[in-house]
Amino acid sequence: MYAGVDPVTGKDSYLSESTRDEKKIPEIRSRLLAKVDRQRNAATKATLAYTLDAWMEVHEAGESTLDDYRALIERTIAPALGDVPVSKIGAHALERFYAQLRRCRARCNGKPFVEHRAADPHECRSVQHRWRPGRPSAKSQAEHDCVVAQCKVVECADHVCKPLSAATVRKVHFIISGALAAATRWDWIASNPATEAKKPKQTAPQPKPPTSEEAVRIVAAAWDQDEDWGMLIWLKMVTGARRGELLALRWQDVHLGEGVLEIRRSFTQRRGKAREKDTKTHQMRRISVDPDTIDLLQQHQRRCQSLLEQLGIPYNESAFVFSYEPDHGRPCNPDGISHRYAKMCAGLNIASHLHTLRHYSATELISSGVDIRTVAGRLGHGGGGTTTLRVYTAWVAQSDRQAASILANKMVRPGATPPGTSGQDS
């Protein structure tokens, strides 16, 4: 049954159905006509890979988000479903795919095999000599003990199943669903099967912020290393701002007289490309800071101005607050900041990464009785506190128990002696 011209290939498209019963031919013909008329069958033979590419061209998201999507498409989705026409993808196929990823990201069949490190012919076990033969050095040409010289042994390892996390599988589902939704809008398919597929449950977040004692040690260690580094870690703790938001801070955003920081932008650096962009929620927010933080920021500003004077560079309000450049014209590298923090905490024997300081700020505020909307506003969470509640439920419950104790302490149990009385008649 002719179904029109394929919008992707430009070729004629046909629908087909077979039967061994000649009497059913009129019924099949009517059914195929109905499919064509109501566009209930795909008008294209576009594959999922082609659809994903077309969707990525028009999908609006941050550059870092798009990079993550491209990586998942290339590494996970395309090898499994890329060659499948979108017209043949159903909810059952998607659910089977998600189940495979939850068992093993390589979608293995459960049988043992060797994960080769290269597709070309190679030796599965080789030694990378520290002193390679043939180098113009008597020491390298001489025979040596590989153990003593600490030569590196490289070999292909046996496969070990590593499941994808539920959060990553949900992201895979979002990508496929977005592409199929676009295919539906473009009349390539009649409906989006991803809307019917059951996606993995969202696991409850379990943030592990440093304890108060660990936070004191972290700040002290940062200040011992470098005053500017200590200021960055301090501000990260007291504001709970995201890494990129703090690095994008300019002095014109710091209002020391008012005791307010304006979070307007975020700084990212991906694949060697640095750029400023909107905040995650695309909204500017103002964060109040305490007098001690204002004093520390003033000292930090004076250090920056003093350095610029020594270099003969005029001070500019548009300079970045945190920078390794002499003129503060470029923010610190975000990944470098995270690596430095992780290395510092490892030296302190504290299991922590930079983002946990955001959790630390939130949990300390909630545990101290600060309302959720205020905490959400400081963190830049959208949804009026919905995200804050979902992530920090445990600490909300803790604050709720504290509230119950406060009320109970102000009451007098029936039959108990009121405070301030001896319990005897005068």
Side-chain angles (χ1 to χ4, degrees):
M1 180 70 64
Y2 178 68
V5 178
D6 190 306
V8 175
T9 65
K11 298 180 180 180
D12 291 344
S13 177
Y14 292 88
L15 307 181
S16 63
E17 192 172 331
S18 62
T19 180
R20 296 189 179 187
D21 188 349
E22 187 175 355
K23 295 180 180 178
K24 291 186 178 180
I25 291 178
E27 177 186 342
I28 293 174
R29 181 184 292 113
S30 299
R31 185 159 55 245
L32 293 180
L33 280 171
K35 287 182 178 180
V36 173
D37 292 340
R38 292 175 291 182
Q39 295 185 343
R40 288 184 178 174
N41 197 79
T44 178
K45 293 182 176 64
T47 63
L48 180 61
Y50 183 94
T51 306
L52 287 166
D53 289 342
W55 175 67
M56 287 291 291
E57 290 178 358
V58 299
H59 182 62
E60 295 182 4
E63 192 60 37
S64 59
T65 301
L66 292 177
D67 284 344
D68 291 340
Y69 288 176
R70 292 187 189 100
L72 277 175
I73 291 171
E74 180 179 348
R75 183 177 62 244
T76 304
I77 302 174
L81 301 174
D83 294 334
V84 180
V86 288
S87 59
K88 296 185 180 298
I89 294 178
H92 180 229
L94 292 178
E95 290 182 14
R96 286 184 59 194
F97 176 51
Y98 302 155
Q100 290 174 347
L101 295 178
R102 292 199 301 273
R103 287 193 296 269
C104 177
R105 64 185 65 193
R107 298 182 299 109
C108 69
N109 57 9
K111 297 181 179 180
F113 68 95
V114 176
E115 285 191 346
H116 295 283
R117 63 182 185 274
D120 300 330
H122 63 279
E123 291 290 336
C124 285
R125 188 182 189 279
S126 61
V127 180
Q128 294 179 356
H129 294 284
R130 186 176 181 185
W131 299 323
R132 295 191 299 276
R135 293 184 63 188
S137 167
K139 188 174 184 180
S140 66
Q141 292 174 354
E143 299 241 350
H144 64 274
D145 187 335
C146 287
V147 176
V148 175
Q150 298 180 346
C151 298
K152 185 178 180 181
V153 178
V154 180
E155 57 185 331
C156 300
D158 292 334
H159 169 72
V160 177
C161 289
K162 297 179 181 178
L164 279 183
S165 67
T168 304
V169 179
R170 286 176 65 89
K171 189 177 292 186
V172 168
H173 170 80
F174 174 82
I175 294 171
I176 294 175
S177 179
L180 293 179
T184 305
R185 293 194 303 272
W186 300 332
D187 292 330
W188 292 4
I189 53 177
S191 61
N192 182 356
T195 58
E196 302 297 328
K198 182 180 179 182
K199 56 183 179 290
K201 293 181 180 179
Q202 187 171 14
T203 55
Q206 297 180 345
K208 294 182 180 179
T211 64
S212 299
E213 183 271 334
E214 289 174 338
V216 171
R217 291 172 57 200
I218 290 171
V219 169
W223 230 278
D224 288 342
Q225 287 188 12
D226 182 342
E227 288 181 325
D228 293 352
W229 173 242
M231 184 70 250
L232 174 60
I233 298 303
W234 175 281
L235 203 61
K236 176 74 172 167
M237 282 190 177
V238 299
T239 64
R242 299 178 179 89
R243 179 186 67 177
E245 293 172 344
L246 282 184
L247 297 183
L249 266 183
R250 299 174 184 264
W251 283 115
Q252 63 194 21
D253 304 321
V254 181
H255 305 285
L256 297 174
E258 302 175 39
V260 170
L261 303 181
E262 289 185 355
I263 306 296
R264 293 179 172 274
R265 297 166 299 276
S266 182
F267 178 75
T268 62
Q269 186 164 333
R270 305 273 297 191
R271 300 178 180 178
K273 295 182 180 180
R275 60 188 290 264
E276 287 186 78
K277 62 175 187 176
D278 289 342
T279 62
K280 190 171 183 178
T281 56
H282 307 287
Q283 292 180 338
M284 185 273 286
R285 67 184 189 276
R286 292 165 62 88
I287 301 178
S288 299
V289 290
D290 60 281
D292 286 340
T293 301
I294 294 173
D295 183 50
L296 292 172
L297 281 170
Q298 288 173 337
Q299 296 177 30
H300 180 62
Q301 187 179 44
R302 286 194 291 268
R303 286 195 301 271
C304 295
Q305 292 173 336
S306 176
L307 177 61
L308 291 174
E309 289 176 2
Q310 294 175 23
L311 298 173
I313 301 174
Y315 173 74
N316 193 331
E317 285 287 332
S318 63
F320 290 97
V321 177
F322 300 105
S323 173
Y324 291 134
E325 301 296 324
D327 62 350
H328 279 238
R330 178 187 176 90
C332 301
N333 181 287
D335 289 339
I337 294 296
S338 294
H339 294 324
R340 182 177 180 179
Y341 177 82
K343 183 177 180 180
M344 180 182 70
C345 288
L348 298 172
N349 199 25
I350 297 175
S352 177
H353 54 83
L354 190 63
H355 194 72
T356 59
L357 297 187
R358 181 170 164 84
H359 298 319
Y360 170 80
S361 177
T363 53
E364 289 295 316
L365 291 174
I366 294 173
S367 299
S368 300
V370 179
D371 65 277
I372 293 297
R373 290 186 65 87
T374 300
V375 176
R378 290 181 67 86
L379 296 179
H381 280 163
T386 303
T387 303
T388 313
L389 278 171
R390 179 175 59 83
V391 177
Y392 302 104
T393 301
W395 284 272
V396 173
Q398 179 181 345
S399 297
D400 189 51
R401 288 192 294 272
Q402 292 177 353
S405 299
I406 292 173
L407 289 174
N409 291 335
K410 294 184 178 294
M411 305 290 288
V412 179
R413 287 181 56 184
T417 302
T421 63
S422 62
Q424 298 179 352
D425 295 335
S426 56

